């Protein structure tokens, strides 16, 4: 019985490879849909924080002149939008549109006693224009909150009395300043409002606000704070669905801020309800706005090209410079990064982008994609089962059967989790199978004692074959995670850290324990091996290297200034930056290690480190927010550069080996 089971497990590998091939074929139309989706949006919107700009202007001798001058310069540099926050009475006061008084102030002005039980806010409008624009806004806002507002005037100037304390009145947000909005529109800027969730959701006022936005050409809003508008009241009022309905009615989308520590509460739900009318936004902090011009230009250009960012948000802040004895801001620095000498706008335009209001990706989702994904699922399970067969052959069919049952169960409970799980299994399986086959091939070829020329040819063939097998996992990852929610990073591919570790670990296990003899015997032999100081030192070095490797993976990794310069050089030289760990380390080590292992048995251990490159190539495509075509370019360029460095390493070894053979006898004498 056991022999029959073994036979069926061994025989099944051929059929599993057929399923893998069918899965790869089925993924092609899905990949084509994703590429079309990613090429559907090419407009980049550069947004400046208007509040920051007005604050910077307030430190100048002539604030209004400075503000107008900088607005013109920013427009010329490529900034095409201004972000406007919800206004407050305090904002209107600082802008000179109103003058506010307390009850005591008014009593003093009118030379009478202040009422003992009154602490109201008295507002006088600066002129008729401000009164016409702001009075209805103030009345609607406070009345909706149950705060009484009544007419008042002072010395012939129109005003109102808001029956709440100034401290409370100053906190209530209203629509963005309509007068400032009109001025900005006259200068050719688009408006990107920033909305908060600080007040109870009022559908009537919200619709009035969105209607006003539409009249002013607003196409996208940005949320301020930890939650989207309507989230706090959603349980009682179902306000998220109501707000989404209004956004759809007025054709207004959202902007998703990149790399927030915590996603804004309710954003994903809102994005789904507005059919993902969302674009990704890169926010440059006021602190980073003082970085050198070239660094800023690189950030802007790479954000649009490498991460599908379509909105760039710029901040500034006034700072006191003791060295120069004046108050400075970073507006000049930002202008120079966008224009000369940074030329960020020019660099973006060379990559096919154009300045304008950011547009969402037009999702291409062919009608047969659902059925193709079913074939892809079978192929991914088959890929995983083949990997299992190289380590525990008796579990091949069981792994496939359990995979089918588990996938069906996960699909019912959480289809997104099923897609991510299968994508991760396929991503791990590809590099692992590639490395296992490479090790087996080397062991077979070594017995034939090939010449140096034959070893070089066999190494190059093996290099290409291993890369193809590793990259075979990529179509499964792309097809299974082909959703706009992943591209917008509203849903993230979890467990990717395992992809950095598991293929390397499994390659090491195979190299150490699968040598054509009993695995039990190999483990027993290892356990009986005496532990020496050298072993401890080597393990400590491996552990430190492993920790460093893990610290450099993902978005949390940091780089030195020298590496940044090197990355920029690669970007400028090739138009795309390959991963350093691939072409500088892993790929050359694979070529050199395979070449040596075809002659020297212990050189096979070098391939454990080389497995990093195979896993890294697949990991590049796990960053779904990066264009698939760009990820492919990075991988192929890394393979090409790694090939050159690997051949150089082989030549250097051959020279050194020749010198050693020639001179070592003399040294021994």
């Amino acid at each position: 019985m056991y022999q029959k089971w073994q036979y069926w497990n061994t025989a099944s590998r051929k059929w599993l490879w057929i399923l893998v091939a069918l899965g790869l074929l089925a993924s092609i139309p899905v990949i084509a849909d994703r590429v079309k989706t990613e090429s559907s949006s090419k407009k980049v919107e550069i947004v400046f924080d208007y509040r920051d700009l007005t604050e910077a202007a307030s430190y100048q001798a002539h604030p209004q002149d400075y503000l107008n001058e900088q607005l013109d310069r920013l427009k010329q540099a490529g900034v095409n939008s201004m972000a406007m926050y919800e206004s407050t009475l305090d904002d209107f006061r600082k802008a000179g549109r109103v003058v506010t008084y307390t009850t005591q102030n008014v009593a003093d002005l009118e030379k009478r006693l202040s009422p003992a039980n009154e602490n109201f806010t008295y507002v006088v409008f600066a002129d008729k224009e401000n009164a016409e624009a702001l009075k209805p806004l103030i009345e609607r806002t406070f009345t909706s909150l149950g705060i009484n507002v009544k007419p008042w005037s002072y010395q012939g100037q129109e005003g109102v009395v808001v029956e709440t304390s100034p401290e409370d009145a100053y906190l209530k947000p209203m629509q963005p300043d309509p007068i400032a909005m009109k001025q900005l529109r006259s200068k050719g800027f688009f408006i990107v409002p920033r909305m908060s969730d600080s007040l109870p959701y009022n559908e009537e006022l919200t619709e009035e606000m969105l209607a006003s936005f539409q009249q002013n050409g607003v196409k996208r809003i940005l949320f301020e704070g930890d939650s989207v508008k309507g989230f706090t009241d959603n349980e009682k009022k179902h306000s998220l669905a109501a707000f989404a309905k209004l956004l759809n009615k007025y054709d207004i989308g959202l902007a998703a801020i990149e790399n927030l520590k915590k996603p804004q509460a309710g954003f994903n739900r809102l994005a789904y309800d507005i059919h993902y009318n969302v674009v990704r936004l890169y926010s440059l902090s006021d602190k980073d706005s003082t970085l050198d011009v070239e660094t800023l230009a690189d950030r802007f250009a790479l954000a649009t090209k490498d991460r599908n960012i379509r909105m760039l948000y710029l901040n500034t802040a006034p700072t006191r410079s003791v060295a120069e004895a004046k108050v400075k801001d970073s507006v000049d620095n930002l202008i120079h990064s966008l224009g000369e000498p940074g030329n960020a706008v020019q660099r973006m335009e060379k990559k096919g982008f154009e300045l304008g209001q950011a547009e969402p990706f037009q999702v291409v989702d062919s009608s047969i994609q659902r059925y193709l994904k079913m074939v892809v699922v079978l192929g991914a399970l088959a890929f995983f089962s083949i990997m299992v067969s190289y380590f525990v052959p008796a579990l091949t069919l069981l792994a496939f059967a359990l995979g089918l049952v588990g996938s069906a169960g996960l699909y019912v409970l959480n289809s997104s989790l099923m897609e991510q799980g299968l994508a991760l299994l396929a991503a791990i399986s590809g590099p692992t199978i590639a490395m296992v086959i490479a090790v087996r091939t080397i062991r077979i070829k070594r017995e034939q004692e090939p010449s140096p020329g034959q070893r070089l040819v066999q190494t190059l063939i093996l290099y290409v074959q291993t890369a193809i097998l590793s990259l075979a996992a990529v179509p499964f990852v792309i097809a299974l995670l082909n959703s706009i929610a992943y591209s917008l990073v509203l849903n993230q591919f979890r467990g990717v850290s395992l992809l950095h570790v598991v293929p390397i670990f499994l390659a090491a296990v195979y190299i150490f324990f699968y040598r054509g003899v009993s695995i039990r015997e190999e483990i027993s032999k290892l356990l009986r091996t005496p532990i020496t100081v050298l072993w401890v030192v080597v393990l400590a070095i491996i552990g430190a290297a492993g920790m460093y490797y893990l610290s450099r993976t993902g978005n949390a990794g940091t780089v030195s200034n020298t590496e940044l310069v090197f990355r920029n050089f690669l970007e400028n030289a090739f138009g795309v930056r390959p991963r350093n760990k691939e072409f500088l380390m892993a790929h050359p080590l694979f070529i050199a290690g395979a070449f040596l292992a075809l002659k020297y048995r212990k050189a096979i251990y070098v391939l454990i480190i080389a497995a990093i490159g195979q896993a890294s190539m697949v990991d590049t495509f796990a960053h779904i927010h990066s264009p698939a075509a760009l990820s492919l370019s990075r991988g192929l360029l890394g393979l090409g550069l790694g090939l050159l460095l690997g051949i150089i390493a082989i030549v250097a070894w051959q020279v050194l080996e020749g010198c050693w053979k020639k001179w070592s006898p003399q040294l021994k004498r």
Side-chain angles (χ1 to χ4, degrees):
M1 182 67 181
Y2 179 74
Q3 289 180 341
K4 281 188 176 182
W5 177 251
Q6 286 284 65
Y7 169 78
W8 284 112
N9 277 287
T10 303
S12 68
R13 189 181 290 176
K14 177 179 70 175
W15 298 105
L16 291 174
W17 275 116
I18 291 174
L19 280 178
V20 170
L22 291 174
L24 290 172
L25 288 173
S27 69
I28 294 174
V30 184
I31 295 171
D33 285 350
R34 175 178 160 180
V35 173
K36 290 176 183 176
T37 298
E38 291 174 338
S39 60
S40 64
S41 173
K42 290 294 185 181
K43 289 186 178 179
V44 175
E45 188 169 355
I46 304 177
V47 188
F48 204 96
D49 191 298
Y50 183 67
R51 179 182 286 179
D52 283 0
L53 192 60
T54 55
E55 185 180 356
S58 69
Y59 285 80
Q60 303 298 318
H62 303 285
Q64 199 59 48
D65 292 343
Y66 179 84
L67 182 63
N68 285 325
E69 178 189 354
Q70 299 302 347
L71 284 172
D72 292 337
R73 293 181 66 214
L74 287 166
K75 188 73 174 67
Q76 188 175 5
V79 175
N80 48 8
S81 296
M82 285 286 154
M84 297 191 68
Y85 291 80
E86 292 173 319
S87 297
T88 63
L89 270 181
D90 195 41
D91 291 330
F92 293 146
R93 181 182 65 82
K94 289 178 179 178
R97 308 204 187 286
V98 301
V99 178
T100 60
Y101 300 97
T102 64
T103 297
Q104 182 64 54
N105 294 149
V106 173
D108 292 341
L109 290 170
E110 295 179 350
K111 299 183 189 279
R112 58 178 173 80
L113 291 175
S114 174
N117 191 33
E118 179 184 306
N119 185 20
F120 293 163
T121 305
Y122 289 76
V123 181
V124 177
F125 299 104
D127 52 39
K128 186 177 180 180
E129 180 190 3
N130 281 286
E132 290 177 351
L134 302 182
K135 184 180 178 180
L137 187 60
I138 293 171
E139 288 177 339
R140 285 194 300 272
T141 299
F142 286 97
T143 302
S144 71
L145 296 172
I147 299 171
N148 190 38
V149 179
K150 60 186 180 182
W152 179 69
S153 64
Y154 178 71
Q155 295 184 346
Q157 290 293 103
E158 189 176 0
V160 293
V161 180
V162 181
E163 296 186 355
T164 187
S165 67
E167 291 78 12
D168 183 60
Y170 287 163
L171 294 174
K172 301 297 187 280
M174 293 172 267
Q175 287 187 32
D177 186 343
I179 298 174
M181 188 181 295
K182 183 179 178 181
Q183 292 171 346
L184 291 172
R185 292 285 290 154
S186 69
K187 286 183 174 292
F189 289 103
F190 301 114
I191 304 299
V192 178
R194 298 205 65 168
M195 301 181 73
S196 68
D197 190 36
S198 54
L199 295 182
Y201 183 77
N202 184 306
E203 187 164 0
E204 183 180 346
L205 284 182
T206 302
E207 180 164 16
E208 183 181 307
M209 188 184 301
L210 293 181
S212 171
F213 289 164
Q214 187 187 54
Q215 291 173 3
N216 283 280
V218 171
K219 286 295 183 183
R220 209 153 300 284
I221 60 175
L222 186 61
F223 294 111
E224 178 187 7
D226 297 329
S227 61
V228 304
K229 189 171 187 63
F231 175 77
T232 304
D233 297 322
N234 188 53
E235 288 189 12
K236 295 180 180 179
K237 301 181 179 180
H238 304 290
S239 44
L240 285 180
F243 186 39
K245 187 177 180 180
L246 291 176
L247 289 171
N248 289 328
K249 178 179 178 180
Y250 292 100
D251 191 26
I252 295 176
L254 309 178
I257 305 172
E258 181 189 48
N259 289 337
L260 286 177
K261 292 182 179 179
K262 183 181 178 182
Q264 291 173 311
F267 193 97
N268 285 18
R269 165 73 183 278
L270 203 57
Y272 177 82
D273 287 343
I274 65 170
H275 315 296
Y276 293 107
N277 182 6
V278 179
V279 300
R280 298 188 70 222
L281 177 146
Y282 167 70
S283 180
L284 181 78
S285 67
D286 55 87
K287 180 180 178 181
D288 285 349
S289 69
T290 60
L291 294 171
D292 67 87
V293 168
E294 288 298 328
T295 299
L296 290 177
D298 286 333
R299 284 195 182 188
F300 298 150
L302 292 177
T304 54
K305 180 175 71 72
D306 286 11
R307 304 198 302 278
N308 279 334
I309 298 290
R310 294 298 178 265
M311 295 182 80
L312 304 173
Y313 192 99
L314 313 183
N315 290 277
T316 189
T319 56
R320 292 176 172 85
S321 173
V322 177
E324 300 180 43
K326 65 178 182 180
V327 177
K328 300 173 59 179
D329 58 56
S330 56
V331 176
D332 278 350
N333 199 49
L334 292 169
I335 289 173
H336 292 148
S337 67
L338 294 171
E340 293 183 352
N343 296 312
V345 172
Q346 186 180 24
R347 288 172 59 179
M348 287 186 282
E349 289 175 342
K350 284 184 178 179
K351 296 297 181 181
F353 298 102
E354 59 178 297
L355 297 182
Q357 280 185 294
E359 298 173 344
F361 290 115
Q362 300 301 313
V363 178
V364 179
D365 191 356
S366 56
S367 57
I368 62 169
Q369 193 174 126
R370 179 181 178 183
Y371 305 103
L372 292 174
K373 280 191 174 183
M374 293 173 62
V375 181
V376 172
V377 166
L378 292 175
L381 288 173
F383 215 6
F384 171 69
S385 302
I386 291 170
M387 182 186 73
V388 171
S389 74
Y390 283 111
F391 292 89
V392 190
L395 297 181
T396 305
L397 288 174
L398 183 61
F400 186 73
L402 290 176
L404 283 174
V405 174
S407 298
L410 275 178
Y411 181 79
V412 173
L413 296 174
N414 189 331
S415 60
S416 177
L417 188 60
M418 181 211 72
E419 292 169 347
Q420 291 187 44
L422 288 177
L424 181 60
L425 289 179
I428 290 172
S429 300
T432 303
I433 292 171
M435 291 305 300
V436 166
I437 292 177
V439 170
R440 293 173 65 148
T441 302
I442 288 172
R443 286 174 177 167
I444 293 170
K445 297 290 185 182
R446 185 172 57 233
E447 301 300 324
Q448 301 171 5
E449 298 183 357
S451 65
Q454 291 174 325
R455 286 160 56 201
L456 178 60
V457 172
Q458 291 169 359
T459 296
L460 297 181
I461 293 173
L462 190 62
Y463 180 63
V464 174
Q465 172 187 301
T466 305
I468 291 173
L469 279 172
S470 293
L471 290 173
V474 169
F476 292 104
V477 173
I478 294 177
L480 288 166
L481 303 181
N482 182 40
S483 167
I484 191 64
Y486 290 107
S487 297
L488 295 172
V489 198
L490 301 178
N491 197 358
Q492 296 198 49
F493 184 18
R494 295 174 178 85
V496 178
S497 56
L498 292 174
L499 177 55
H500 298 294
V501 177
V502 175
I504 302 161
F505 172 75
L506 292 178
V509 167
Y510 195 86
I511 288 171
F512 273 104
F513 301 116
Y514 289 78
R515 306 185 183 188
V517 294
S518 169
I519 298 173
R520 183 180 300 175
E521 183 180 329
E522 292 293 335
I523 295 174
S524 176
K525 181 180 176 182
L526 180 65
L527 293 175
R528 292 195 304 269
T529 303
I531 298 177
T532 63
V533 175
L534 180 62
W535 270 70
V536 175
V537 172
V538 170
L539 288 174
I541 293 172
I542 292 173
M547 292 296 293
Y548 177 73
Y549 166 67
L550 290 176
S551 72
R552 292 299 308 274
T553 60
N555 295 325
T558 57
V559 295
S560 64
N561 290 331
T562 303
E563 187 171 352
L564 282 174
V565 172
F566 183 57
R567 287 184 172 191
N568 292 337
F569 165 75
L570 292 172
E571 182 71 31
N572 295 328
F574 300 105
V576 63
R577 178 180 59 81
R579 286 187 160 182
N580 293 348
K581 59 186 172 187
E582 291 178 22
F583 83 94
L584 287 178
M585 180 187 70
H587 292 335
L589 279 178
F590 183 96
I591 292 172
F595 180 82
L596 293 175
L598 285 168
K599 181 178 181 181
Y600 304 105
R601 184 172 179 269
K602 290 188 176 180
I604 197 73
Y605 296 114
V606 175
L607 295 189
I608 296 174
I609 303 174
I612 292 173
Q614 305 303 311
S616 177
M617 287 193 299
V618 179
D619 173 66
T620 299
F621 290 87
H623 296 79
I624 311 298
H625 58 272
S626 294
L630 182 133
S631 297
L632 180 61
S633 299
R634 292 184 71 179
L636 294 178
L637 182 59
L639 285 168
L641 294 176
L643 174 63
L644 292 176
L645 293 178
I647 291 174
I648 291 172
I650 288 174
V651 172
W653 174 268
Q654 287 296 97
V655 171
L656 291 173
E657 189 178 48
C659 293
W660 175 255
K661 287 180 179 179
K662 181 178 179 180
W663 293 327
S664 61
Q666 298 177 17
L667 293 173
K668 289 178 181 179
R669 287 198 297 268

